[in-house]
Amino acid sequence: MPNFRKLDDLGDVAGKVALVRVDFNLPMQDGAVTDDSRVRAAVPTILELSAKGAKVLLLAHFGRPKGARDASQSLSLVIGAVEKVLGKEVMFVPEIAGDIVKQAIGILDNGGIALLENTRFWPGEEKNDPELVKAIAANGDVYVNDAFSAAHRAHASTEGLAHVLPAYAGRSMQAELEALGKALDNPEKPVAAVVGGAKVSSKLDVLQHLVSKVDHLIIGGGMANTFLAARGVSVGKSLCEHDLADTANAILDAADKAGCTVHLPYEVVVSQEFAANPPSLRTCNVHEVADNEMILDCGPASVEALGDVLKTCRTLVWNGPMGAFETPPFDAATVALARMAAALTREGSLVSVAGGGDTVAALHHAGVAQDFTYISTAGGAFLEWMEGRELPGVKALEI
Ligand code: ADP
Ligand code: MG
């Protein structure tokens, strides 16, 4: 795990200005925030800095305004939600640099909190323009990055600032780095990875990286069909990337060489149409899928066997559902495997880390999200970490 400065390393910050990068890219519908979990994730860092007497200036992006002001993507739209979660008043500042920000700092009491405007209103943000970095930094004393989910981007507020101000990981960033480090950088072995989801093409780099890292690679979801087809199994009209057969075989060969055991489903749930509880639903051996059928989930016996694999493991990394879990009963394998992983985690025999938009939704659906050791909500950054890439926003915090 990279070595980075934490809030514990912060000296006396009373009266100083902390520029804090958070992820307030909140989902909204009809003008209302529909999920405030990203705000909740930032609360410990904000309140800790505020309690230490720092003037806390929050930096965040919101949507994709492409370098120009756009009232419909102003961070002023989320300030009510932020105040509600924090239980404190938050000043809104319609700039990210310059005199207006300076004046705001003058008005703020020690411990006061302000939310600056959407960083992406300025073209220099996504270009990581040194001039913009300098201008933002001019109003700050320290930089705290608490947005792991934006750390795969080298932008002014996610990367640039860390080079010009004393830089620290916030509590949520710290928790994420520690959990991910425990799962892949320095895990207790044996390690299992579950990789599922729709397509091999979206997770090629993940698969390639994992075969060199883990002892067991469990492949499920639509992407398993591509591997089965590559091995000569006829998968009927399943979602399948037939053009990736060579790639799939190369991954299987690489796994073999690296001593990684790949687990593909040997028994599957199929139907002739993709609908909830279809009349043509049946469970069969992978070699018995008819031309007019599609594989939509792993079968119960396959899942049972995978549970036995997890029982021998000490660490689990999970990205991607085992089946088309949004449509019943094709959630069964994902739910069953998630519950087995959760039970092993509760018993203390497994460290379990999961991430990915649909994966997190599936674990909540299975009712076990709270039992996993760590759930990353970071989407793109989580996947890039699973690909073994260095995240620029994390790298910049290293000491
Ligand atoms: P994540 O967001 O967690 O990274 P993905 O986006 O890669 O996950 O994959 C999730 C999607 O994969 C879900 O919408 C699910 O319905 C789909 N999926 C999983 N298995 C199948 C399958 N056998 N056939 C079709 N779609 C599938
Ligand atoms: Mg997804």
Side-chain angles (χ1 to χ4, degrees):
M1 191 181 45
N3 203 4
F4 48 89
R5 273 190 217 96
K6 311 177 201 34
L7 293 188
D8 309 291
D9 306 315
L10 209 58
D12 179 15
V13 285
K16 291 196 176 160
V17 176
L19 290 166
V20 184
R21 181 53 157 98
V22 291
D23 180 357
F24 282 177
N25 194 21
L26 309 182
M28 293 192 62
Q29 212 166 13
D30 306 322
V33 171
T34 53
D35 179 0
D36 60 10
S37 38
R38 287 174 165 167
V39 182
R40 279 187 276 120
V43 166
T45 293
I46 298 171
L47 292 186
E48 182 171 342
L49 288 165
S50 167
K52 285 182 173 156
K55 299 187 179 187
V56 182
L57 300 195
L58 303 172
L59 286 163
H61 77 275
F62 186 42
R64 297 178 184 274
K66 302 219 169 77
R69 278 192 192 268
D70 171 356
S72 74
Q73 300 184 74
S74 168
L75 270 173
S76 60
L77 297 172
V78 309
I79 198 144
V82 173
E83 288 186 317
K84 194 165 151 212
V85 175
L86 275 174
K88 281 188 180 264
E89 204 178 299
V90 178
M91 179 196 288
F92 182 71
V93 183
E95 298 286 338
I96 54 173
D99 287 343
I100 306 262
V101 176
K102 206 182 202 162
Q103 283 162 24
I105 294 167
I107 298 167
L108 278 181
D109 293 328
N110 286 2
I113 302 162
L115 175 60
L116 308 189
E117 184 53 287
N118 187 349
T119 52
R120 289 192 183 170
F121 282 2
W122 287 267
E125 161 72 341
E126 290 181 68
K127 291 190 194 124
N128 204 356
D129 174 9
E131 290 305 312
L132 181 66
V133 170
K134 225 196 311 179
I136 302 172
N139 284 317
D141 297 302
V142 296
Y143 169 71
V144 176
N145 190 346
D146 211 24
F148 176 83
S149 51
H152 56 314
R153 307 233 154 86
H155 293 172
S157 69
T158 62
E159 202 268 350
L161 284 172
H163 296 295
V164 297
L165 287 173
Y168 302 82
R171 293 303 179 196
S172 144
M173 171 73 89
Q174 179 188 344
E176 185 101 24
L177 292 179
E178 286 173 354
L180 299 190
K182 235 201 274 180
L184 273 193
D185 297 339
N186 200 7
E188 225 185 293
K189 291 188 156 251
V191 184
V194 171
V195 182
K199 288 182 168 180
V200 171
S201 51
S202 64
K203 292 181 185 172
L204 267 183
D205 295 339
V206 170
L207 292 162
Q208 266 149 3
H209 176 61
L210 287 177
V211 293
S212 68
K213 281 275 190 181
V214 305
D215 305 289
H216 295 277
L217 176 60
I218 294 169
I219 301 178
M223 70 168 61
N225 303 337
T226 300
F227 282 89
L228 291 168
R231 283 190 166 181
V233 173
S234 68
V235 296
K237 48 175 198 166
S238 303
L239 175 65
C240 180
E241 292 165 290
H242 290 283
D243 54 322
L244 287 180
D246 290 346
T247 310
N249 278 322
I251 290 170
L252 295 175
D253 286 347
D256 204 36
K257 285 207 187 76
C260 165
T261 309
V262 177
H263 303 267
L264 286 166
Y266 60 87
E267 174 234 19
V268 288
V269 180
V270 299
S271 81
Q272 289 168 24
E273 64 274 29
F274 185 16
N277 305 305
S280 59
L281 183 78
R282 70 185 190 104
T283 300
C284 67
N285 185 281
V286 282
H287 296 289
E288 296 165 354
V289 180
D291 289 346
N292 64 348
E293 288 178 320
M294 61 190 112
I295 303 172
L296 289 164
D297 200 13
C298 300
S302 281
V303 176
E304 229 15 82
L306 295 175
D308 289 338
V309 173
L310 293 189
K311 279 182 198 149
T312 69
C313 293
R314 293 288 162 267
T315 304
L316 167 68
V317 193
W318 186 334
N319 170 259
M322 300 299 285
F325 76 100
E326 301 94 336
T327 312
F330 309 112
D331 58 339
T334 305
V335 168
L337 194 63
R339 290 190 178 153
M340 288 189 236
L344 292 168
T345 308
R346 278 196 307 266
E347 287 163 19
S349 75
L350 195 67
V351 167
S352 52
V353 173
D358 293 296
T359 309
V360 176
L363 295 181
H364 281 291
H365 169 69
V368 296
Q370 72 288 349
D371 290 330
F372 271 59
T373 312
Y374 190 78
I375 301 259
S376 173
T377 51
F382 179 81
L383 271 186
E384 288 203 19
W385 167 78
M386 275 190 91
E387 290 167 358
R389 289 184 206 232
E390 203 159 58
L391 309 185
V394 173
K395 172 115 180 71
L397 294 177
E398 276 177 34
I399 42 176

